[in-house]
Amino acid sequence: MKNIILTFLFLFMISFSLADTTIPGGNVSGEWTVAGSPYYIDGEITIQMSDNLTIQPGVEVKFNGHYKFIAFGKILAEGTLQDSIIFTSADTTGFSNIWTTDGGWHGLRFMSCIYNGQGNSRLKHCKVEYAKSLGYGAPYADRTGGGIYINLSSNLEITNCRISNNVADYGGGIYIWESSPTLSDLTITNNFARHDAGGMMFSGANTDPILENSIISGNSCHYDGGGIFCCSGSAPIISNVAITGNSCIDWEGAQGGGISIWEANPVINNVVISDNYSVGSGGGVASTHNSLPTVINCMINRNIADWVGGGISIESSSINLSGVTISENITNGYGGGIYFGYNSEAVFNPENRCNIYCNININGNLGNDLRAYNTNINVIIDTFTVLEPTEYYASPIENFTFDILSGMIDPVNADLYVSPEGDNSNSGLTANEPLKNISYALQK
């Protein structure tokens, strides 16, 4: 009899620990506990402006359909490193079809929270995944911010969160409009936008948050801003961030595999922008439409643009460059390092000097490092590919003036040997000392 009672108690404890809670559509508030997890959401839910909701570490929130989670009030979802809070779809069947809302929920939507009179909402150690915000003919707000949509909600902190596998028309991972939330230690990865901003989008004249200590990787979109899109007067400060492996993939007008800047003024400080791709311009960075980005102490390398500007493309914009290294970027068109288009200009810091070297036009066009179209550029840098540039490196050469302290490569006036078993530190002058790459031999 005693064993039967103990067995019953053990089974009861297991069933209690596996308890789940169903939340119908409507207003929510109070506290969601790990004992009640997972929480299954059966309709659109809302935190009203005067209400708040606390979610304990370890809670899973699973949406049974394409439902929004709207916050006018305050939400405290603070997980831990060991017990994160997860917002996801209960059934992801059909999620890979980007033309429907199948397999996804409709994301976290922070709406006008600055008017709720409460302290900051907080998302900490949360995962936001498998959300979709899309649909031609739908209101614009419903098509933006796949995982998280932030509208007039600066009183928001998002830290140590992972935003992944979300889809939207604009801002696959996060869309921020007229808001300056706190954003730090984020991983924004594998999100997709059918139009602009695969990873995240900053929009609006009062959108000037600091994004810091974060990773923006593996995101993509059809048009502008594979990783990040800054537009419409926004001025975020992006600091200590890695922007890698993002892409814009649809047509030659696409811009900014890593970052696209459109009528915006971001400050980009101590950021690595590498291995991004644009089918159009600006493999790493594209700036256009009267923008004024400031880029400080950044690495922009190994990016690819099919059209122009492997590293950076500037058109109808100005750019301030200080302590930036632009190297090993590639284009099929013009300006492997930087392409300066119509009505563009650059200011190179004469004290914290930049480096530009070993960029490539793989189709053999001139201007491997720099190309200027109908504009004059004064280049003040520490290290260039060679100490005395020719048309091969900067084209048209008459559009540039140079102040260079050192050359990365010493040119030679001789035939050079190249071998797959060679080494670019060799002289290349004999068969016993071949260089490794044809592109490097051409630069010498």
Side-chain angles (χ1 to χ4, degrees):
M1 182 68 178
K2 184 177 180 181
N3 288 336
I4 294 174
I5 293 172
L6 288 173
T7 301
F8 174 79
L9 288 173
F10 178 71
L11 292 173
F12 176 79
M13 291 174 65
I14 291 176
S15 64
F16 182 78
S17 67
L18 297 177
D20 57 68
T21 305
T22 299
I23 304 293
N27 296 331
V28 294
S29 61
E31 185 171 14
W32 291 356
T33 66
V34 70
S37 179
Y39 285 78
Y40 288 96
I41 311 302
D42 271 347
E44 182 172 294
I45 55 175
T46 303
I47 305 172
Q48 292 296 339
M49 193 160 286
S50 60
D51 292 334
N52 59 75
L53 174 68
T54 298
I55 302 177
Q56 288 185 353
V59 167
E60 296 182 31
V61 183
K62 298 184 175 183
F63 290 79
N64 284 329
H66 191 244
Y67 306 130
K68 302 174 189 174
F69 189 164
I70 303 172
F72 294 105
K74 179 179 178 180
I75 180 172
L76 295 176
E78 297 182 273
T80 66
L81 182 62
Q82 294 76 25
D83 291 302
S84 58
I85 296 167
I86 300 174
F87 299 90
T88 190
S89 176
D91 182 1
T92 60
T93 302
F95 182 83
S96 61
N97 185 348
I98 64 169
W99 304 106
T100 73
T101 58
D102 293 348
W105 57 296
H106 203 166
L108 283 167
R109 329 292 287 178
F110 292 89
M111 306 287 290
S112 301
C113 292
I114 58 174
Y115 303 116
N116 66 29
Q118 303 193 63
N120 287 357
S121 288
R122 290 194 290 273
L123 302 179
K124 183 177 181 180
H125 288 294
C126 293
K127 296 179 181 179
V128 181
E129 60 187 20
Y130 296 109
K132 285 182 169 181
S133 298
L134 47 84
Y136 297 113
Y140 182 77
D142 287 344
R143 302 171 59 195
T144 57
I148 300 176
Y149 174 79
I150 302 169
N151 181 329
L152 294 172
S153 297
S154 295
N155 52 337
L156 170 63
E157 302 172 19
I158 306 177
T159 60
N160 298 102
C161 290
R162 181 180 180 88
I163 317 299
S164 63
N165 300 301
N166 302 287
V167 178
D169 284 341
Y170 302 89
I174 302 176
Y175 181 98
I176 301 173
W177 185 80
E178 292 288 333
S179 304
S180 298
T182 297
L183 306 167
S184 66
D185 299 283
L186 306 182
T187 297
I188 300 175
T189 185
N190 293 330
N191 302 285
F192 178 75
R194 298 195 304 183
H195 286 269
D196 303 325
M200 63 190 309
M201 184 167 177
F202 299 100
S203 182
N206 295 309
T207 300
D208 53 0
I210 297 174
L211 169 67
E212 61 184 357
N213 305 324
S214 296
I215 297 171
I216 315 295
S217 69
N219 305 285
S220 62
C221 67
H222 278 161
Y223 304 116
D224 295 340
I228 296 175
F229 187 28
C230 304
C231 67
S232 303
S234 63
I237 297 175
I238 302 169
S239 181
N240 300 311
V241 172
I243 302 172
T244 63
N246 305 283
S247 58
C248 46
I249 59 176
D250 193 88
W251 66 304
E252 67 181 27
Q255 302 179 89
I259 306 176
S260 181
I261 303 163
W262 184 295
E263 201 177 61
N265 307 303
V267 175
I268 304 168
N269 179 40
N270 197 27
V271 171
V272 174
I273 303 171
S274 65
D275 302 296
N276 302 286
Y277 168 71
S278 171
V279 72
S281 61
V285 179
S287 181
T288 188
H289 285 75
N290 300 310
S291 295
L292 180 57
T294 298
V295 186
I296 307 168
N297 297 333
C298 293
M299 291 288 298
I300 301 175
N301 60 348
R302 300 192 308 273
N303 302 285
I304 299 173
D306 280 349
W307 188 238
V308 295
I312 301 175
S313 173
I314 307 293
E315 184 113 24
S316 299
S317 288
S318 299
I319 188 169
N320 294 319
L321 296 166
S322 176
V324 180
T325 295
I326 302 164
S327 66
E328 301 177 79
N329 300 285
I330 298 173
T331 183
N332 287 322
Y334 300 97
I338 306 177
Y339 174 80
F340 300 96
Y342 176 78
N343 197 27
S344 63
E345 61 182 10
V347 176
F348 288 86
N349 190 306
E351 297 178 355
N352 186 21
R353 293 193 175 210
C354 298
N355 305 293
I356 303 172
Y357 56 82
C358 298
N359 301 285
I360 300 171
N361 289 336
I362 62 176
N363 281 341
N365 295 316
L366 299 176
N368 277 265
D369 289 302
L370 302 173
R371 170 78 176 190
Y373 173 76
N374 198 31
T375 189
N376 296 314
I377 306 295
N378 183 27
V379 182
I380 305 172
I381 54 175
D382 184 295
T383 303
F384 196 67
T385 303
V386 294
L387 191 57
E388 298 181 2
T390 64
E391 289 271 352
Y392 182 82
Y393 307 98
S395 176
I397 194 66
E398 63 268 18
N399 287 4
F400 295 92
T401 57
F402 286 96
D403 180 346
I404 302 171
L405 298 184
S406 62
M408 177 63 67
I409 295 173
D410 293 326
V412 294
N413 185 20
D415 292 334
L416 297 174
Y417 291 84
V418 178
S419 167
E421 288 74 42
D423 191 316
N424 287 339
S425 64
N426 291 338
S427 69
L429 295 174
T430 68
N432 293 326
E433 290 192 345
L435 301 171
K436 185 176 181 63
N437 306 115
I438 292 175
S439 60
Y440 187 80
L442 289 170
Q443 288 174 331
K444 288 180 72 69

